[in-house]
Amino acid sequence: GHSSSPKDEL
Amino acid sequence: MNIFRLAGDMTHLLSIIVLLLKIYATKSCSGISLKTQELYALVFLARYLDLFTDFISVYNTIMKVVFIASSLAIVWCMRLHPLVKRSYDKELDTFRHYFLIGGTFVLALVLNEKFTLQEILWAFSIYLEAVAILPQLVLLQRSGNVDNLTGQYVFFLGAYRAFYILNWIYRYLTEPRFTRWIACVSGIVQTGIYADFFYYYFISWKNNSKLKLPA
């Protein structure tokens, strides 16, 4: 499936 | 990292420092909602589960630890510190925040980027953060006059997410496929909830008068 957005923010 | 996000994170850190200063300097937590502090501790615990699994950067890891540790320390202080807990406005801090937890969790089950535990908890933390300030704003309206440090605390807390909105606009314009609908929409709602507080805060600053929220 589609990948989720990278959690690079706090 | 861009200047808007850095400004946002530093403003967020500043809000926590102001709150810790208020509690430490005055040995009092009057005017502070314990429920809002508990919601923030839950937000950080639910959002930073990847603290040990996904390394982003030293900065990211340090800030996550600081946010988790400070939010838990504030809750501990307001619940257990013998001197501070006496000044907690228990009878004013009556917002039913369990509804906020339940409602945002159900929303996260429905609206998430991927139906995995980590993504559902991340979306839950984003939605919960948007409404976590409500018990605090209700308490300020009930407690009449607001002391300076508490007013500054709420102001910086609201301002940080406004910087994040600028960060999302900047990233949308500079990064080809940047889309964070959950964080963006929730962040706009979160900043909007502070709108009336910002208005009264500006008025009190302009008239150099005491901050007073209408009941």
Side-chain angles (χ1 to χ4, degrees), chain B residues 190-214:
Chain B
Q190 179 171 336
T191 307
I193 287 175
Y194 286 79
D196 71 330
F197 173 84
F198 283 147
Y199 170 72
Y200 291 110
Y201 194 78
F202 171 70
I203 296 292
S204 78
W205 169 76
K206 196 159 67 75
N207 303 341
N208 196 19
S209 63
K210 205 75 173 116
L211 174 61
K212 197 157 170 38
L213 296 181

PDB file of all heavy atoms in Angstrom, chain B residues 190-214:
ATOM      1  N   GLN B 190      -6.156  24.212  15.288  1.00  0.00           N
ATOM      2  CA  GLN B 190      -5.508  24.480  16.578  1.00  0.00           C
ATOM      3  C   GLN B 190      -5.217  25.964  16.741  1.00  0.00           C
ATOM      4  O   GLN B 190      -5.538  26.568  17.765  1.00  0.00           O
ATOM      5  CB  GLN B 190      -4.203  23.669  16.644  1.00  0.00           C
ATOM      6  CG  GLN B 190      -3.398  23.855  17.907  1.00  0.00           C
ATOM      7  CD  GLN B 190      -2.241  22.868  17.988  1.00  0.00           C
ATOM      8  OE1 GLN B 190      -2.290  21.791  17.375  1.00  0.00           O
ATOM      9  NE2 GLN B 190      -1.210  23.205  18.719  1.00  0.00           N
ATOM     10  N   THR B 191      -4.641  26.568  15.704  1.00  0.00           N
ATOM     11  CA  THR B 191      -4.293  27.997  15.780  1.00  0.00           C
ATOM     12  C   THR B 191      -5.557  28.841  15.848  1.00  0.00           C
ATOM     13  O   THR B 191      -5.627  29.831  16.569  1.00  0.00           O
ATOM     14  CB  THR B 191      -3.449  28.386  14.554  1.00  0.00           C
ATOM     15  OG1 THR B 191      -2.339  27.485  14.467  1.00  0.00           O
ATOM     16  CG2 THR B 191      -2.912  29.814  14.683  1.00  0.00           C
ATOM     17  N   GLY B 192      -6.601  28.381  15.127  1.00  0.00           N
ATOM     18  CA  GLY B 192      -7.879  29.113  15.146  1.00  0.00           C
ATOM     19  C   GLY B 192      -8.496  29.156  16.527  1.00  0.00           C
ATOM     20  O   GLY B 192      -9.097  30.165  16.921  1.00  0.00           O
ATOM     21  N   ILE B 193      -8.339  28.088  17.306  1.00  0.00           N
ATOM     22  CA  ILE B 193      -8.933  28.033  18.651  1.00  0.00           C
ATOM     23  C   ILE B 193      -8.329  29.132  19.534  1.00  0.00           C
ATOM     24  O   ILE B 193      -8.977  29.653  20.430  1.00  0.00           O
ATOM     25  CB  ILE B 193      -8.708  26.631  19.272  1.00  0.00           C
ATOM     26  CG1 ILE B 193      -9.626  25.611  18.576  1.00  0.00           C
ATOM     27  CG2 ILE B 193      -8.956  26.631  20.777  1.00  0.00           C
ATOM     28  CD1 ILE B 193      -9.417  24.183  18.997  1.00  0.00           C
ATOM     29  N   TYR B 194      -7.079  29.525  19.223  1.00  0.00           N
ATOM     30  CA  TYR B 194      -6.438  30.580  20.019  1.00  0.00           C
ATOM     31  C   TYR B 194      -6.855  31.988  19.573  1.00  0.00           C
ATOM     32  O   TYR B 194      -6.482  32.966  20.213  1.00  0.00           O
ATOM     33  CB  TYR B 194      -4.910  30.503  19.883  1.00  0.00           C
ATOM     34  CG  TYR B 194      -4.257  29.377  20.630  1.00  0.00           C
ATOM     35  CD1 TYR B 194      -4.259  28.094  20.122  1.00  0.00           C
ATOM     36  CD2 TYR B 194      -3.626  29.600  21.850  1.00  0.00           C
ATOM     37  CE1 TYR B 194      -3.653  27.055  20.798  1.00  0.00           C
ATOM     38  CE2 TYR B 194      -3.002  28.552  22.531  1.00  0.00           C
ATOM     39  CZ  TYR B 194      -3.025  27.298  21.990  1.00  0.00           C
ATOM     40  OH  TYR B 194      -2.418  26.262  22.661  1.00  0.00           O
ATOM     41  N   ALA B 195      -7.621  32.061  18.472  1.00  0.00           N
ATOM     42  CA  ALA B 195      -7.882  33.377  17.859  1.00  0.00           C
ATOM     43  C   ALA B 195      -8.407  34.385  18.873  1.00  0.00           C
ATOM     44  O   ALA B 195      -7.865  35.481  19.012  1.00  0.00           O
ATOM     45  CB  ALA B 195      -8.862  33.208  16.712  1.00  0.00           C
ATOM     46  N   ASP B 196      -9.443  33.986  19.634  1.00  0.00           N
ATOM     47  CA  ASP B 196     -10.016  34.986  20.556  1.00  0.00           C
ATOM     48  C   ASP B 196      -9.019  35.308  21.669  1.00  0.00           C
ATOM     49  O   ASP B 196      -8.879  36.444  22.100  1.00  0.00           O
ATOM     50  CB  ASP B 196     -11.353  34.511  21.111  1.00  0.00           C
ATOM     51  CG  ASP B 196     -11.205  33.365  22.097  1.00  0.00           C
ATOM     52  OD1 ASP B 196     -10.246  32.585  21.937  1.00  0.00           O
ATOM     53  OD2 ASP B 196     -12.023  33.271  23.013  1.00  0.00           O
ATOM     54  N   PHE B 197      -8.228  34.293  22.105  1.00  0.00           N
ATOM     55  CA  PHE B 197      -7.222  34.591  23.143  1.00  0.00           C
ATOM     56  C   PHE B 197      -6.216  35.611  22.597  1.00  0.00           C
ATOM     57  O   PHE B 197      -5.884  36.588  23.260  1.00  0.00           O
ATOM     58  CB  PHE B 197      -6.492  33.316  23.572  1.00  0.00           C
ATOM     59  CG  PHE B 197      -5.350  33.581  24.513  1.00  0.00           C
ATOM     60  CD1 PHE B 197      -5.579  33.722  25.870  1.00  0.00           C
ATOM     61  CD2 PHE B 197      -4.072  33.769  24.023  1.00  0.00           C
ATOM     62  CE1 PHE B 197      -4.530  34.018  26.738  1.00  0.00           C
ATOM     63  CE2 PHE B 197      -3.018  34.066  24.880  1.00  0.00           C
ATOM     64  CZ  PHE B 197      -3.248  34.184  26.240  1.00  0.00           C
ATOM     65  N   PHE B 198      -5.750  35.370  21.337  1.00  0.00           N
ATOM     66  CA  PHE B 198      -4.778  36.297  20.741  1.00  0.00           C
ATOM     67  C   PHE B 198      -5.358  37.709  20.700  1.00  0.00           C
ATOM     68  O   PHE B 198      -4.671  38.695  20.968  1.00  0.00           O
ATOM     69  CB  PHE B 198      -4.415  35.844  19.323  1.00  0.00           C
ATOM     70  CG  PHE B 198      -3.458  34.688  19.254  1.00  0.00           C
ATOM     71  CD1 PHE B 198      -3.542  33.764  18.221  1.00  0.00           C
ATOM     72  CD2 PHE B 198      -2.479  34.517  20.224  1.00  0.00           C
ATOM     73  CE1 PHE B 198      -2.658  32.686  18.158  1.00  0.00           C
ATOM     74  CE2 PHE B 198      -1.596  33.440  20.174  1.00  0.00           C
ATOM     75  CZ  PHE B 198      -1.700  32.532  19.136  1.00  0.00           C
ATOM     76  N   TYR B 199      -6.666  37.784  20.390  1.00  0.00           N
ATOM     77  CA  TYR B 199      -7.306  39.106  20.267  1.00  0.00           C
ATOM     78  C   TYR B 199      -7.248  39.825  21.609  1.00  0.00           C
ATOM     79  O   TYR B 199      -6.736  40.935  21.725  1.00  0.00           O
ATOM     80  CB  TYR B 199      -8.758  38.956  19.811  1.00  0.00           C
ATOM     81  CG  TYR B 199      -9.563  40.238  19.897  1.00  0.00           C
ATOM     82  CD1 TYR B 199      -9.330  41.276  18.999  1.00  0.00           C
ATOM     83  CD2 TYR B 199     -10.508  40.418  20.907  1.00  0.00           C
ATOM     84  CE1 TYR B 199     -10.043  42.462  19.083  1.00  0.00           C
ATOM     85  CE2 TYR B 199     -11.226  41.608  21.007  1.00  0.00           C
ATOM     86  CZ  TYR B 199     -10.986  42.627  20.098  1.00  0.00           C
ATOM     87  OH  TYR B 199     -11.687  43.801  20.193  1.00  0.00           O
ATOM     88  N   TYR B 200      -7.693  39.136  22.691  1.00  0.00           N
ATOM     89  CA  TYR B 200      -7.709  39.783  24.010  1.00  0.00           C
ATOM     90  C   TYR B 200      -6.290  40.024  24.527  1.00  0.00           C
ATOM     91  O   TYR B 200      -6.019  40.966  25.250  1.00  0.00           O
ATOM     92  CB  TYR B 200      -8.530  38.944  25.000  1.00  0.00           C
ATOM     93  CG  TYR B 200      -9.999  38.974  24.659  1.00  0.00           C
ATOM     94  CD1 TYR B 200     -10.632  37.848  24.154  1.00  0.00           C
ATOM     95  CD2 TYR B 200     -10.728  40.162  24.777  1.00  0.00           C
ATOM     96  CE1 TYR B 200     -11.980  37.885  23.799  1.00  0.00           C
ATOM     97  CE2 TYR B 200     -12.071  40.207  24.422  1.00  0.00           C
ATOM     98  CZ  TYR B 200     -12.681  39.073  23.932  1.00  0.00           C
ATOM     99  OH  TYR B 200     -14.012  39.128  23.569  1.00  0.00           O
ATOM    100  N   TYR B 201      -5.349  39.122  24.112  1.00  0.00           N
ATOM    101  CA  TYR B 201      -3.953  39.305  24.538  1.00  0.00           C
ATOM    102  C   TYR B 201      -3.375  40.567  23.889  1.00  0.00           C
ATOM    103  O   TYR B 201      -2.696  41.371  24.527  1.00  0.00           O
ATOM    104  CB  TYR B 201      -3.138  38.071  24.126  1.00  0.00           C
ATOM    105  CG  TYR B 201      -1.786  37.968  24.793  1.00  0.00           C
ATOM    106  CD1 TYR B 201      -1.676  37.529  26.112  1.00  0.00           C
ATOM    107  CD2 TYR B 201      -0.625  38.310  24.119  1.00  0.00           C
ATOM    108  CE1 TYR B 201      -0.432  37.434  26.743  1.00  0.00           C
ATOM    109  CE2 TYR B 201       0.612  38.218  24.731  1.00  0.00           C
ATOM    110  CZ  TYR B 201       0.702  37.783  26.040  1.00  0.00           C
ATOM    111  OH  TYR B 201       1.925  37.694  26.652  1.00  0.00           O
ATOM    112  N   PHE B 202      -3.738  40.764  22.600  1.00  0.00           N
ATOM    113  CA  PHE B 202      -3.244  41.959  21.876  1.00  0.00           C
ATOM    114  C   PHE B 202      -3.841  43.231  22.502  1.00  0.00           C
ATOM    115  O   PHE B 202      -3.144  44.217  22.735  1.00  0.00           O
ATOM    116  CB  PHE B 202      -3.618  41.858  20.393  1.00  0.00           C
ATOM    117  CG  PHE B 202      -3.342  43.113  19.619  1.00  0.00           C
ATOM    118  CD1 PHE B 202      -2.027  43.509  19.359  1.00  0.00           C
ATOM    119  CD2 PHE B 202      -4.389  43.930  19.183  1.00  0.00           C
ATOM    120  CE1 PHE B 202      -1.759  44.677  18.646  1.00  0.00           C
ATOM    121  CE2 PHE B 202      -4.124  45.107  18.486  1.00  0.00           C
ATOM    122  CZ  PHE B 202      -2.819  45.481  18.217  1.00  0.00           C
ATOM    123  N   ILE B 203      -5.155  43.176  22.807  1.00  0.00           N
ATOM    124  CA  ILE B 203      -5.824  44.341  23.402  1.00  0.00           C
ATOM    125  C   ILE B 203      -5.160  44.692  24.729  1.00  0.00           C
ATOM    126  O   ILE B 203      -4.855  45.853  25.019  1.00  0.00           O
ATOM    127  CB  ILE B 203      -7.321  44.032  23.621  1.00  0.00           C
ATOM    128  CG1 ILE B 203      -8.044  43.792  22.289  1.00  0.00           C
ATOM    129  CG2 ILE B 203      -7.989  45.174  24.397  1.00  0.00           C
ATOM    130  CD1 ILE B 203      -8.165  45.007  21.408  1.00  0.00           C
ATOM    131  N   SER B 204      -4.888  43.644  25.540  1.00  0.00           N
ATOM    132  CA  SER B 204      -4.302  43.928  26.873  1.00  0.00           C
ATOM    133  C   SER B 204      -2.883  44.482  26.699  1.00  0.00           C
ATOM    134  O   SER B 204      -2.437  45.341  27.441  1.00  0.00           O
ATOM    135  CB  SER B 204      -4.255  42.647  27.701  1.00  0.00           C
ATOM    136  OG  SER B 204      -3.171  41.849  27.303  1.00  0.00           O
ATOM    137  N   TRP B 205      -2.200  44.014  25.637  1.00  0.00           N
ATOM    138  CA  TRP B 205      -0.826  44.511  25.419  1.00  0.00           C
ATOM    139  C   TRP B 205      -0.882  45.950  24.935  1.00  0.00           C
ATOM    140  O   TRP B 205      -0.126  46.810  25.376  1.00  0.00           O
ATOM    141  CB  TRP B 205      -0.136  43.612  24.374  1.00  0.00           C
ATOM    142  CG  TRP B 205       1.166  44.170  23.871  1.00  0.00           C
ATOM    143  CD1 TRP B 205       2.365  44.179  24.519  1.00  0.00           C
ATOM    144  CD2 TRP B 205       1.379  44.837  22.622  1.00  0.00           C
ATOM    145  NE1 TRP B 205       3.308  44.811  23.756  1.00  0.00           N
ATOM    146  CE2 TRP B 205       2.752  45.210  22.580  1.00  0.00           C
ATOM    147  CE3 TRP B 205       0.565  45.138  21.526  1.00  0.00           C
ATOM    148  CZ2 TRP B 205       3.304  45.878  21.488  1.00  0.00           C
ATOM    149  CZ3 TRP B 205       1.120  45.806  20.437  1.00  0.00           C
ATOM    150  CH2 TRP B 205       2.472  46.167  20.433  1.00  0.00           C
ATOM    151  N   LYS B 206      -1.862  46.255  24.035  1.00  0.00           N
ATOM    152  CA  LYS B 206      -1.976  47.610  23.453  1.00  0.00           C
ATOM    153  C   LYS B 206      -2.360  48.604  24.536  1.00  0.00           C
ATOM    154  O   LYS B 206      -1.791  49.683  24.634  1.00  0.00           O
ATOM    155  CB  LYS B 206      -3.040  47.587  22.336  1.00  0.00           C
ATOM    156  CG  LYS B 206      -2.997  48.796  21.409  1.00  0.00           C
ATOM    157  CD  LYS B 206      -3.681  48.509  20.069  1.00  0.00           C
ATOM    158  CE  LYS B 206      -5.192  48.307  20.236  1.00  0.00           C
ATOM    159  NZ  LYS B 206      -5.903  49.591  20.470  1.00  0.00           N
ATOM    160  N   ASN B 207      -3.321  48.223  25.390  1.00  0.00           N
ATOM    161  CA  ASN B 207      -3.776  49.152  26.438  1.00  0.00           C
ATOM    162  C   ASN B 207      -2.917  49.046  27.691  1.00  0.00           C
ATOM    163  O   ASN B 207      -3.223  49.667  28.696  1.00  0.00           O
ATOM    164  CB  ASN B 207      -5.238  48.843  26.805  1.00  0.00           C
ATOM    165  CG  ASN B 207      -6.134  48.918  25.583  1.00  0.00           C
ATOM    166  OD1 ASN B 207      -5.767  49.526  24.576  1.00  0.00           O
ATOM    167  ND2 ASN B 207      -7.283  48.255  25.635  1.00  0.00           N
ATOM    168  N   ASN B 208      -1.902  48.176  27.596  1.00  0.00           N
ATOM    169  CA  ASN B 208      -1.042  47.964  28.753  1.00  0.00           C
ATOM    170  C   ASN B 208      -1.882  47.654  29.993  1.00  0.00           C
ATOM    171  O   ASN B 208      -1.643  48.147  31.092  1.00  0.00           O
ATOM    172  CB  ASN B 208      -0.165  49.209  28.996  1.00  0.00           C
ATOM    173  CG  ASN B 208       0.983  48.856  29.929  1.00  0.00           C
ATOM    174  OD1 ASN B 208       1.312  47.670  30.082  1.00  0.00           O
ATOM    175  ND2 ASN B 208       1.546  49.852  30.574  1.00  0.00           N
ATOM    176  N   SER B 209      -2.926  46.879  29.766  1.00  0.00           N
ATOM    177  CA  SER B 209      -3.839  46.540  30.888  1.00  0.00           C
ATOM    178  C   SER B 209      -3.702  45.050  31.211  1.00  0.00           C
ATOM    179  O   SER B 209      -3.065  44.297  30.474  1.00  0.00           O
ATOM    180  CB  SER B 209      -5.284  46.819  30.439  1.00  0.00           C
ATOM    181  OG  SER B 209      -5.577  45.949  29.345  1.00  0.00           O
ATOM    182  N   LYS B 210      -4.328  44.646  32.281  1.00  0.00           N
ATOM    183  CA  LYS B 210      -4.293  43.234  32.715  1.00  0.00           C
ATOM    184  C   LYS B 210      -5.070  42.400  31.695  1.00  0.00           C
ATOM    185  O   LYS B 210      -6.131  42.816  31.215  1.00  0.00           O
ATOM    186  CB  LYS B 210      -4.955  43.144  34.097  1.00  0.00           C
ATOM    187  CG  LYS B 210      -4.485  41.944  34.923  1.00  0.00           C
ATOM    188  CD  LYS B 210      -3.084  42.125  35.515  1.00  0.00           C
ATOM    189  CE  LYS B 210      -2.781  40.975  36.454  1.00  0.00           C
ATOM    190  NZ  LYS B 210      -1.648  40.135  35.990  1.00  0.00           N
ATOM    191  N   LEU B 211      -4.551  41.216  31.357  1.00  0.00           N
ATOM    192  CA  LEU B 211      -5.272  40.350  30.417  1.00  0.00           C
ATOM    193  C   LEU B 211      -6.532  39.824  31.089  1.00  0.00           C
ATOM    194  O   LEU B 211      -6.486  39.262  32.186  1.00  0.00           O
ATOM    195  CB  LEU B 211      -4.382  39.175  30.006  1.00  0.00           C
ATOM    196  CG  LEU B 211      -5.051  38.101  29.130  1.00  0.00           C
ATOM    197  CD1 LEU B 211      -5.530  38.693  27.813  1.00  0.00           C
ATOM    198  CD2 LEU B 211      -4.091  36.955  28.882  1.00  0.00           C
ATOM    199  N   LYS B 212      -7.688  40.045  30.424  1.00  0.00           N
ATOM    200  CA  LYS B 212      -8.939  39.564  30.999  1.00  0.00           C
ATOM    201  C   LYS B 212      -9.759  38.932  29.885  1.00  0.00           C
ATOM    202  O   LYS B 212      -9.985  39.546  28.853  1.00  0.00           O
ATOM    203  CB  LYS B 212      -9.696  40.765  31.600  1.00  0.00           C
ATOM    204  CG  LYS B 212     -10.765  40.334  32.564  1.00  0.00           C
ATOM    205  CD  LYS B 212     -11.128  41.407  33.557  1.00  0.00           C
ATOM    206  CE  LYS B 212     -12.386  40.979  34.331  1.00  0.00           C
ATOM    207  NZ  LYS B 212     -12.385  39.518  34.639  1.00  0.00           N
ATOM    208  N   LEU B 213     -10.131  37.684  30.051  1.00  0.00           N
ATOM    209  CA  LEU B 213     -10.969  37.027  29.038  1.00  0.00           C
ATOM    210  C   LEU B 213     -12.423  37.151  29.488  1.00  0.00           C
ATOM    211  O   LEU B 213     -12.728  36.898  30.655  1.00  0.00           O
ATOM    212  CB  LEU B 213     -10.569  35.555  28.910  1.00  0.00           C
ATOM    213  CG  LEU B 213      -9.139  35.294  28.408  1.00  0.00           C
ATOM    214  CD1 LEU B 213      -8.895  33.800  28.298  1.00  0.00           C
ATOM    215  CD2 LEU B 213      -8.900  35.962  27.079  1.00  0.00           C
ATOM    216  N   PRO B 214     -13.351  37.537  28.594  1.00  0.00           N
ATOM    217  CA  PRO B 214     -14.753  37.652  28.977  1.00  0.00           C
ATOM    218  C   PRO B 214     -15.285  36.286  29.374  1.00  0.00           C
ATOM    219  O   PRO B 214     -14.931  35.271  28.760  1.00  0.00           O
ATOM    220  CB  PRO B 214     -15.435  38.167  27.708  1.00  0.00           C
ATOM    221  CG  PRO B 214     -14.528  37.773  26.601  1.00  0.00           C
ATOM    222  CD  PRO B 214     -13.148  37.771  27.166  1.00  0.00           C
TER     223      PRO B 214
END
